[in-house]
Amino acid sequence: MGLGKQVVIIGGGIVGLSSAYYLQKEGYEVTVIDKTNMTSGASYVNAGFLTPSHIIPLASPGMIAKGLKMMFNSSSPFYMKPRWDTDFFKWAWYFHKSSTDSKVEKAIPVIKDINLLSRDLFEDIKASGDLGDFQLERNGLLMLYQTQSAFLHEKEVAERASDLGLEVAYLDKAQLKQKEPHVSIAAEGAIHYECDGHTTPTQIMPLLIAYLKKIGVNINENEIVQDLKVKSGRIEEVVTDKSSYRPEHVVMAAGSWSGLLSKKLGIDLPLQGGKGYRINVKRETGIQLPAILMEAKMAVTPMVGFTRFAGTMEFSGNNRIVRKERVNAIAAGAQRFYPNLSITDEELDDAQTGLRPVSPDGLPYIGKPSKIDNLVFATGHAMMGWSLGPATGKLVSEIIGNKKTSMNIEAFSPNRKF
């Protein structure tokens, strides 16, 4: 690479590709490097939600206690595998320190703002026609509950969301039946976040890759970053197993691997991979609206060509091991709420996993570290990576271009203390 407006983006998930999308539009010469063939991972197996309603960060009061309680039950929705790992211990301590009412209170408006920004950008991308046609629906999200305690817990969140101007409705059994006439649902009712939307990630990702290639973005698959050489507070060279690059700017969008790569720069970025699972049912299920099954702690999304059942947050290191008991727990949860639905052995065997990068406070890292002048972090989005892809990409392009950012990003600083 010669001199000029060169950017290397490490990571080809939704965040890395969204960054490439907006940077290319600003006239940068962009190269995306990804260690996979870019057909799997968190950007492909998520629930596809666009969720302004998800205003409470993962690090909220009581979560560590829940995690410890569930630690020895490997089929529980929130699972921390017991292991001797000092990075994990440090992260867990920071997570605990972040799980306070006051910190959650501070995070709520910021999470809402970036979600709304991203939802609008998804709409803009669709309207531009850049990617061609893709599923982008705004039918809201149902929070289905079977118990009064689950309803009351979510009602607090819904009231807060409503106070923030988000559209919320309460549905009893009869109203729920009107919304979902073609499927039997074992629920007492639902809170309907009308502000939310959904997509099919496996449809959007190939369209985005194809568009970026067409407009001149270099996308280098199956290429592993081995070293990042720093001189005078700048990354001078990105060395991979196939090549080396001397870009003007580097974007770290490597998901759950961002923390490990940051160590090569002498930066301690607290981050853990939180594994999620998905089951695709390619038969007609009758399900029309995306939902979260509250007591089962899992998501359901009607996508193009299939219905997706997704869930769990498993902290067991950066591996892609499929734990059968966790897949079975998702299937059982689905059947608890949709009694006429049974997931086949074949569908269970086809289950896939992805690792979401989870910061200790549940907020992403978006911005420059104090140590390295030409690096921008774009990672740590936890369960909101898909929702926040376009907003993060837009913010990255603004940071690199020294422009006023579309929102205040102070809360996302990679230099923040836990």
Side-chain angles (χ1 to χ4, degrees):
M1 280 188 173
L3 292 170
K5 294 174 78 175
Q6 282 91 8
V7 183
V8 162
I9 297 171
I10 303 171
I14 185 63
V15 171
L17 295 183
S18 296
S19 300
Y21 179 86
Y22 289 105
L23 283 163
Q24 181 76 16
K25 287 192 179 299
E26 293 294 321
Y28 289 88
E29 187 186 318
V30 183
T31 297
V32 176
I33 301 169
D34 195 276
K35 64 187 182 62
T36 73
N37 65 358
M38 294 170 68
T39 58
S40 63
S43 293
Y44 297 82
V45 304
N46 65 81
F49 290 166
L50 311 182
T51 50
S53 68
H54 278 33
I55 53 174
I56 307 294
L58 186 65
S60 55
M63 278 305 281
I64 281 284
K66 272 183 203 165
L68 292 173
K69 216 181 282 177
M70 295 173 172
M71 190 177 255
F72 299 102
N73 174 6
S74 64
S75 62
S76 65
F78 184 74
Y79 174 56
M80 294 179 172
K81 185 186 180 205
R83 65 190 195 279
W84 191 265
D85 178 339
T86 51
D87 282 343
F88 179 67
F89 295 149
K90 195 191 287 185
W91 177 90
W93 172 241
Y94 291 156
F95 185 99
H96 169 69
K97 281 171 70 181
S98 300
S99 301
T100 65
D101 287 322
S102 65
K103 287 190 175 170
V104 167
E105 212 39 53
K106 264 186 171 159
I108 286 172
V110 184
I111 293 175
K112 183 207 72 163
D113 287 349
I114 192 170
N115 264 289
L116 287 176
L117 172 64
S118 214
R119 188 189 69 181
D120 291 347
L121 291 171
F122 265 109
E123 301 276 2
D124 291 350
I125 292 168
K126 175 135 184 172
S128 74
D130 286 345
L131 273 53
D133 193 31
F134 58 86
Q135 183 196 32
L136 178 61
E137 296 188 32
R138 274 278 288 281
N139 300 326
L141 174 69
L142 297 173
M143 302 295 289
L144 297 172
Y145 58 86
Q146 294 178 326
T147 59
Q148 186 69 0
S149 63
F151 166 68
L152 292 173
H153 174 79
E154 192 57 35
K155 185 167 174 271
E156 281 184 32
V157 180
E159 285 169 352
R160 192 66 213 278
S162 192
D163 291 344
L164 290 167
L166 299 172
E167 305 86 3
V168 184
Y170 297 85
L171 308 178
D172 60 21
K173 271 186 175 176
Q175 291 164 319
L176 179 58
K177 189 68 192 164
Q178 281 181 328
K179 292 276 181 196
E180 280 286 34
H182 306 302
V183 63
S184 171
I185 302 178
E188 290 304 302
I191 292 174
H192 188 196
Y193 288 111
E194 296 168 337
C195 50
D196 289 7
H198 72 283
T199 57
T200 300
T202 49
Q203 180 191 45
I204 291 176
M205 288 297 283
L207 290 173
L208 185 50
I209 291 166
Y211 171 73
L212 292 173
K213 285 179 175 174
K214 189 177 85 180
I215 60 169
V217 172
N218 303 305
I219 295 187
N220 299 343
E221 302 168 10
N222 300 308
E223 188 167 342
I224 299 167
V225 173
Q226 293 179 327
D227 203 7
L228 299 161
K229 295 188 175 174
V230 178
K231 191 177 178 186
S232 308
R234 290 175 67 80
I235 295 174
E236 196 176 43
E237 192 179 359
V238 178
V239 181
T240 74
D241 59 343
K242 291 182 178 173
S243 188
S244 88
Y245 306 84
R246 301 179 79 85
E248 200 176 344
H249 304 277
V250 177
V251 179
M252 182 71 76
S256 299
W257 286 268
S258 302
L260 296 170
L261 284 169
S262 298
K263 286 189 170 179
K264 294 180 184 295
L265 300 164
I267 294 172
D268 183 14
L269 192 78
L271 200 68
Q272 287 290 315
K275 192 191 292 180
Y277 292 75
R278 72 94 178 112
I279 300 167
N280 289 344
V281 172
K282 294 174 182 172
R283 299 169 277 126
E284 185 51 61
T285 60
I287 296 167
Q288 291 182 331
L289 291 181
I292 286 180
L293 316 182
M294 289 197 62
E295 288 85 352
K297 294 188 168 46
M298 56 176 283
V300 181
T301 319
M303 295 188 179
V304 175
F306 54 91
T307 304
R308 174 165 288 179
F309 299 86
T312 83
M313 181 58 89
E314 171 187 328
F315 294 104
S316 61
N318 278 11
N319 63 71
R320 300 287 286 280
I321 297 163
V322 174
R323 290 173 183 269
K324 275 278 176 253
E325 66 272 30
R326 300 185 71 68
V327 177
N328 292 337
I330 291 173
Q335 204 160 359
R336 255 171 73 190
F337 279 79
Y338 303 101
N340 296 340
L341 174 87
S342 63
I343 291 171
T344 67
D345 287 344
E346 195 181 354
E347 287 157 349
L348 291 173
D349 290 341
D350 181 51
Q352 286 189 4
T353 70
L355 286 160
R356 305 91 133 199
V358 185
S359 69
D361 59 3
L363 293 175
Y365 296 113
I366 306 170
K368 291 186 171 190
S370 51
K371 283 185 178 181
I372 310 283
D373 184 50
N374 65 337
L375 174 66
V376 177
F377 278 109
T379 187
H381 294 76
M383 287 145 81
M384 293 183 289
W386 183 259
S387 288
L388 302 184
T392 304
K394 177 87 170 153
L395 291 166
V396 164
S397 74
E398 291 166 345
I399 293 162
I400 286 177
N402 285 320
K403 294 185 172 180
K404 186 179 187 321
T405 50
S406 297
M407 64 174 286
N408 186 333
I409 59 169
E410 197 182 336
F412 308 139
S413 169
N415 306 309
R416 64 187 184 268
K417 298 281 180 271
F418 296 103

